[in-house]
Structure formats: C-alpha cells, structure tokens
Amino acid sequence: MPTEPSLLVIAAINTLAWPMIQLGLAWAFTRMPDHWFVRDAMTKPCPCENRFLNRVMHVKRWKDRLPDAASWFAGGFAKAKLTGSDPEYLRRFIRETRRGELCHWCAIACVGFFLPWNPWWADLVIATYAIAANLPCILVQRYNRGRLSTLLARSEAKAWIGRK
C-alpha cells in the first residue's frame, strides 16, 4: 500500500516544478516558428481594452517591474524596451507579445499537472500562484500589443502617404 508523501515533499516538488515549467515553456516558445504568431483573432486588441488596462488595472505604472525571460534564451526577443519604429520591427514585436501571452496562458494551464499529488488546499495555493505570477504578464502583453498596433498603423500610414 503506497504512502502519502509528506507536506515537505509536496512543497519541495511544487517549489522545484514551477520554475522548471515556467523556464521550460519560455525556452520552448522561443523555439516556435514566428509564423505561428502572425495573426490571432483571439488576441487582437480591442480599442477599449487599453483604456481599461491603463485606467482600471494601471498597467503603465507597474509593467516595467516584470521580468522578461525571453531575452534569457538564444533566439528570444527582448520586450522590455521599444528599440525601433519601422513597421517590420513593430510587426515582430506584436508577434512576440502574442508568443509571450500564449506562453503565460499555457503556464496557467499547467496547474492541472499539480492536482494529482496535492491536497485540495494546496491546489488552491498552486492555482493562486499560477494566476498571480502569469496574469500580470498577460495583461502587459495585451497592453503593449494595443499600443504597438496603434504605432504600427501610424507608421504604415506615414509610409503609404510618403509613396504618394
């Protein structure tokens, strides 16, 4: 008859598994082809979304405090600063916000991995952690994508007018 693992063992597994999951997902997502993130209607920003994210969630105040793990891996795209304004760079940045958002949604979905060995109350702790650690990153990706989409539209309009 198998014995239940102690709370110390469960805590150790949970503590070690989360960084492995987060870093593993970040690494895997940097390896995914760019064309997977070109267009996604589900993540297309709504014009009112940035107003909500800025006025209600105050994303602009705290977004710069979050880490950007993509730059830790070869092939990752640093999203901490906007370093260009040409349309191709902005399109790439927008793709990378989609990549980052999906990576964080997948991390939240990994909560199910912990359910088999955790007691119900630890499942709540794990779920709370997953949301608290990933939802701010998702909000920042969506906020930045809205702003970048506006910049891209302006940049493309200038380029189009310049051709006339």
Side-chain angles (χ1 to χ4, degrees):
M1 180 163 161
T3 60
E4 296 267 330
S6 71
L7 288 179
L8 186 60
V9 170
I10 290 172
I13 291 169
N14 292 341
T15 303
L16 292 172
W18 267 118
M20 289 173 45
I21 287 170
Q22 295 275 178
L23 292 173
L25 284 170
W27 176 83
F29 271 77
T30 61
R31 300 296 181 264
M32 292 178 183
D34 288 348
H35 70 269
W36 289 4
F37 304 98
V38 170
R39 192 82 172 152
D40 183 357
M42 295 299 290
T43 60
K44 188 174 181 189
C46 168
C48 61
E49 184 175 27
N50 265 30
R51 285 192 298 274
F52 169 78
L53 290 172
N54 198 27
R55 292 179 184 164
V56 176
M57 303 303 291
H58 304 288
V59 171
K60 191 174 183 176
R61 290 186 192 168
W62 50 263
K63 71 183 190 81
D64 294 332
R65 296 184 185 134
L66 297 178
D68 180 12
S71 61
W72 300 350
F73 302 103
F77 182 86
K79 296 176 290 302
K81 291 183 183 176
L82 186 65
T83 60
S85 60
D86 64 282
E88 189 48 45
Y89 172 77
L90 295 173
R91 279 191 281 280
R92 168 107 196 264
F93 205 130
I94 290 168
R95 279 194 311 270
E96 296 302 324
T97 64
R98 289 187 185 112
R99 184 188 310 267
E101 181 181 351
L102 184 59
C103 183
H104 286 286
W105 280 117
C106 287
I108 291 172
C110 286
V111 166
F113 172 74
F114 294 88
L115 299 179
W117 66 77
N118 280 310
W120 69 268
W121 57 267
D123 290 336
L124 292 176
V125 171
I126 291 293
T128 302
Y129 166 78
I131 292 167
N134 290 287
L135 189 59
C137 300
I138 291 168
L139 295 176
V140 168
Q141 298 301 335
R142 295 189 70 82
Y143 176 78
N144 285 341
R145 189 165 48 255
R147 295 182 70 211
L148 291 165
S149 294
T150 301
L151 281 174
L152 178 60
R154 287 181 188 159
S155 180
E156 288 174 336
K158 282 182 186 177
W160 188 79
I161 290 170
R163 283 186 255 167
K164 291 274 179 180

